Each structure stands twice: as C-alpha cells, then as structure tokens.
Amino acid sequence: MKIKPAFCTLVALPFALITLATEGRTEGFRDENVPMQVEEELDLSRYLGRWYEIARFPNNFEIGCEGVTAEYSALPEGRIKVVNSCHKAGLEGPVDRAEGVARVVAPGKLEVNFASWLSLLPFTWGDYWVLDVDANYEVAVIGTPKGKQGWILARSPQISAEQLTEAHSVLRRNGYDIGALEMVPQN
C-alpha cells in the first residue's frame, strides 16, 4: 500500500502543532537579550563536508546519541544536503540517520528542514546559525536565536583544550550558559 502525501500531512500536522505549542514552554540555554553575532564571511564551499559533534546542549532529537556526525554537500539552487548520523545505545550501537536540506537566509544564517514533504510550512524550518568557524575551518560553533540548541563541531573526533576553550568563549559571547553543554562521546 502506498501512503499518499496528503495523508502524511494530515497525520503529521497535529504532531507539528503540538511541538510548536510545547516549544514555547521550554527554556533555552541563552540569554535572548544578548545580540547574536554570526560568521558573516562564512565560505559555504569550505564548510561542506563531514563534521563531528564535539558538544551540544541537550535536545529531544539527540537523546542517547553518541558518535554524532553531520555531512553537508551542495545541492542545486544554493541549497545544502544535510545528513546527520548518530549511534544509539553506545558508540557500537545501531546508526540512526536523518536527512534534510538547508538554505541560506542571510550571511552566516541558515535554516534546516528534516521534513521535506512539509517544507512549505514555515515552522518546519529550524534556525542554524554559524556563530564562529576558525580560520582553517576545523572547529565551528553553531547556535539558535532562542538558544534551545547549540553545538560545537569539528573536522576530527577530538579537539584540543584550547579549541574547546575558544568555542566556549564564542557561546558565552552569544549569551549561552555553557553549564548545560554536554560533551559527545566519539570514536
């Protein structure tokens, strides 16, 4: 039996609305009164490729995830294919993957959607702001205006103490309380 897109939308819409309604009740990890500074000179061609998740603020969609990676590749019309992978139940556990698409909305500011069949609905796109990327494009710090998510990414599974300290500084400058930041186990 083939499931029709209209049926999928009908079934998913209540869940999306519930998510929207409850999202406003969840506190973020940053002071929204602090203006966010993004990497306005972001070179997307250098940003593409594989990134390892070094640290993150807790979120519902990564519960139990370890060995997390994000792979970005170019698509037509300036869009970016996003493939997030994580191991569930430990580094040797089964791999979960989520595929989505990102679009640039302003310099250093992207939006990501993992529900392509609902992409016409504006609330299905999530903010993904590149707050900082080092000169060699080895470490990146990502955040969201409401501060409900944030990540430290790197080209390798581990980073130096100095790189981690600098990433923490970027988060603090953007109003984040790094007390809830959790390190992500990597191979």
Side-chain angles (χ1 to χ4, degrees), residues 74-141:
L75 289 172
E77 299 176 17
R79 298 218 172 183
I80 300 164
K81 180 179 179 179
V82 180
V83 179
N84 291 340
S85 301
C86 85
H87 291 270
K88 291 286 192 170
L91 289 171
E92 301 303 319
V95 176
D96 274 358
R97 284 190 173 76
E99 289 193 26
V101 65
R103 63 185 180 193
V104 177
V105 293
K109 298 178 181 180
L110 291 83
E111 292 179 331
V112 182
N113 181 301
F114 288 95
S116 62
W117 50 281
L118 288 175
S119 63
L120 294 177
L121 301 173
F123 60 82
T124 64
W125 290 86
D127 291 315
Y128 180 99
W129 290 12
V130 180
L131 306 179
D132 186 69
V133 63
D134 67 355
N136 296 320
Y137 279 69
E138 292 177 1
V139 177
V141 181

Side-chain angles (χ1 to χ4, degrees), residues 34-67:
V34 175
M36 290 186 79
Q37 299 172 355
V38 298
E39 184 68 45
E40 292 187 3
E41 301 299 319
L42 181 66
D43 182 346
L44 281 175
S45 65
R46 291 185 68 196
Y47 193 77
L48 299 177
R50 176 173 291 223
W51 291 88
Y52 293 86
E53 189 176 275
I54 302 301
R56 67 171 170 252
F57 289 98
N59 60 65
N60 291 335
F61 50 90
E62 287 187 287
I63 293 173
C65 280
E66 296 182 4

Side-chain angles (χ1 to χ4, degrees), residues 129-180:
W129 290 12
V130 180
L131 306 179
D132 186 69
V133 63
D134 67 355
N136 296 320
Y137 279 69
E138 292 177 1
V139 177
V141 181
I142 312 304
T144 63
K146 293 188 184 285
K148 294 182 183 182
Q149 290 96 29
W151 298 270
I152 298 172
L153 306 176
R155 295 293 189 178
S156 60
Q158 281 81 35
I159 60 175
S160 70
E162 293 82 18
Q163 289 171 313
L164 184 60
T165 298
E166 177 56 31
H168 285 173
S169 295
V170 170
L171 288 168
R172 281 191 199 100
R173 278 195 309 270
N174 282 281
Y176 276 91
D177 174 3
I178 64 165

Side-chain angles (χ1 to χ4, degrees), residues 3-20 115 117-118 121 123-124:
I3 298 175
K4 297 182 179 179
F7 176 76
C8 291
T9 302
L10 182 65
V11 170
L13 193 56
F15 293 108
L17 292 173
I18 289 169
T19 300
L20 252 187
W117 50 281
L118 288 175
L121 301 173
F123 60 82
T124 64

